[in-house]
Amino acid sequence: MPALGMAQDTGLIVAWHKSEGDAVKTGDVLFEVETDKATMEVEAQADGFLNGLRARAGEEVPVGNVIAEIGAEAGVPEAASAAAPSPELPEGASVIMPALGMAQDSGRIVSWHKGLGEAVAASDILFEVETDKATMEVEAGTEGFVAALLAEAGEEAPLGAPIAIISPEAPSNPVQLSQSSAASAARAEVAPANEPAVKPAEVAKPAPKAPAAPRTDGRILASPKARRLGLEQGLDLSRLVDAGHPQPFHVADLEFLKSLPATAPQGMTAQSRRLTAELAQDGFADFEGWAAETAGLDDANALLAGLAASSLKGGDAIVAVEAAGRSLRYAIAGGLGDVAHAETDVLPDILLRDLRMSRVTTVDLGAEACPVLTLTRSGPGLLITLECAADHLTASESVSLLSEFAGRVEQPLRHLL
């Protein structure tokens, strides 16, 4: 069970897209998982056959627990073929490989700051982890003693995999394992090879992907990865709609899209939306000065990003801000509640262009890879323009986003209170 967020403890399996014994390829969608923040598709990380399903649709599974295996042969879980008995893991709270980025699959242990048997506080630095974007220190998260280290310095561990165990009492037999040995031990503890937690017959086969009725709102349903790869490769997902291909679209459907006869040059879908809102006064200018003087918030771009994110349902988003020749990305949680810098190569949920200091008064640049909000001068007030592709936001979602953002820019303090 992967970790889809920093504070996630469990995940609810919504549906399986593959059945016991099915052949799978890297990138195939295995199942959908739901947390309190979002529902996401989880893809296979290797080629092979799906074996040893240990959780049904509708079950809540702790992060880091093994829920299935991908083996070289159908019906032969890796745990069943293990030659040597796995060491028994001590009891305690598991420390998992955390999610430090949106596109992270694994992390490399740089070094351990605590050794076996050492006492730790919840705020103590336990280890350093490196991804392809950054190196960060990770805290223990719980108080106790280091009872097991399940990965060695220099090893890669998958996102959500247990890499340490902290027990409430000093361990009599602390365990040090490599990541491969730890994975075998975890499989053995979750479900012994001779007692699978869920028999193949008990796992409901997923319903075949039936053709869906054409949508009338112009929106295209696609997984985040399929949408991102489509944008990167210049593929127009609307051609799948025209071909009658069933939605939602996944990565595997892109191959079918590439096989379609070439017609017009592929690129962004032709349908786009453009809405404008006019504000009589620029309420953000006064708020910007107040925030810097009273609250010590002197990053105007971060404030704008927070207002844009809070205009979305949930208030969690990656917002890119382009202003004064600079481009910055912010990771927003809960609107203005938690604002931090994000990785620069992550596709944002919203692009915000602040042209208040330029001579540009109106914009009509067309849809881009994500919805774009642009601020321009209009006398003593502001003009806010929203441009997006039709498959990014429905008509009602577009109106809601622009209305919410315009209201927050016009009266920022009112929305904070």
Side-chain angles (χ1 to χ4, degrees):
M1 173 59 64
L4 305 179
M6 293 296 288
Q8 176 195 353
D9 296 318
T10 62
L12 175 71
I13 297 181
V14 178
W16 284 96
H17 288 240
K18 296 289 183 179
S19 299
E20 179 88 12
D22 281 358
V24 298
K25 293 183 178 180
T26 303
D28 284 354
V29 175
L30 292 182
F31 62 96
E32 291 179 64
V33 61
E34 180 183 83
T35 70
D36 58 345
K37 302 292 184 189
T39 300
M40 293 186 67
E41 296 169 338
V42 178
E43 301 175 352
Q45 300 298 313
D47 296 348
F49 295 87
L50 187 63
N51 299 319
L53 268 64
R54 295 169 183 169
R56 304 179 184 88
E59 284 191 16
E60 193 99 11
V61 181
V63 167
N65 274 21
V66 177
I67 55 176
E69 298 176 14
I70 296 177
E73 300 178 15
V76 184
E78 288 185 17
S81 60
S86 299
E88 184 177 349
L89 298 180
E91 295 184 358
S94 293
V95 179
I96 65 170
M97 175 59 68
L100 304 179
M102 297 293 288
Q104 174 193 353
D105 295 322
S106 63
R108 186 177 73 87
I109 304 292
V110 177
S111 63
W112 289 100
H113 286 230
K114 297 290 182 180
L116 287 174
E118 284 193 50
V120 294
S123 59
D124 285 351
I125 301 300
L126 185 61
F127 64 97
E128 286 183 69
V129 60
E130 179 184 70
T131 70
D132 57 346
K133 302 291 189 301
T135 300
M136 294 185 65
E137 296 176 334
V138 179
E139 298 178 354
T142 188
E143 184 177 348
F145 297 84
V146 179
L149 297 179
L150 308 180
E152 297 176 352
E155 277 194 312
E156 292 257 350
L159 186 69
I163 55 174
I165 295 176
I166 297 177
S167 61
E169 300 178 357
S172 56
N173 289 309
V175 175
Q176 170 77 66
L177 296 174
S178 65
Q179 182 59 198
S180 58
S181 300
S184 299
R187 282 195 295 266
E189 292 213 344
V190 171
N194 58 350
E195 296 181 10
V198 179
K199 296 178 181 178
E202 295 177 339
V203 180
K205 288 186 77 70
K209 195 175 181 182
R215 296 181 63 90
T216 58
D217 57 9
R219 191 176 184 186
I220 297 175
L221 298 180
S223 70
K225 186 171 183 179
R227 197 182 296 278
R228 175 173 59 81
L229 291 176
L231 289 169
E232 291 175 355
Q233 299 174 23
L235 300 174
D236 184 356
L237 297 182
S238 66
R239 298 188 68 215
L240 287 173
V241 178
D242 296 339
H245 204 64
Q247 298 185 46
F249 303 137
H250 304 295
V251 173
D253 297 318
L254 299 182
E255 295 302 319
F256 176 79
L257 175 55
K258 294 176 184 177
S259 70
L260 293 176
T263 52
Q266 295 182 341
M268 181 66 65
T269 177
Q271 283 187 303
S272 62
R273 309 189 194 281
R274 182 178 182 275
L275 296 81
T276 59
E278 189 168 3
L279 310 183
Q281 298 293 329
D282 180 4
F284 182 77
D286 292 336
F287 171 71
E288 185 180 342
W290 172 87
E293 182 177 342
T294 306
L297 303 174
D298 56 359
D299 188 345
N301 293 328
L303 293 174
L304 277 174
L307 294 178
S310 60
S311 303
L312 293 170
K313 184 178 180 181
D316 295 352
I318 302 294
V319 180
V321 180
E322 293 181 357
R326 299 177 62 201
S327 179
L328 300 170
R329 276 173 170 73
Y330 298 90
I332 316 293
L336 284 171
D338 186 6
V339 181
H341 285 282
E343 300 159 3
T344 56
D345 60 349
V346 173
L347 182 66
D349 298 296
I350 300 176
L351 171 59
L352 184 61
R353 289 197 177 103
D354 185 4
L355 302 182
R356 291 177 299 159
M357 303 304 292
S358 76
R359 294 181 178 273
V360 177
T361 56
T362 59
V363 294
D364 190 358
L365 301 175
E368 298 193 24
C370 66
V372 182
L373 287 164
T374 305
L375 282 72
T376 54
R377 284 287 174 198
S378 178
L382 292 175
L383 192 69
I384 303 177
T385 304
L386 169 64
E387 296 178 284
C388 67
D391 62 331
H392 289 157
L393 299 170
T394 64
S396 61
E397 289 171 339
S398 301
V399 171
S400 175
L401 173 58
L402 182 59
S403 299
E404 291 286 339
F405 182 64
R408 283 167 167 77
V409 172
E410 187 174 34
Q411 295 181 316
L413 279 175
R414 178 183 174 186
H415 286 274
L416 284 180
L417 299 175

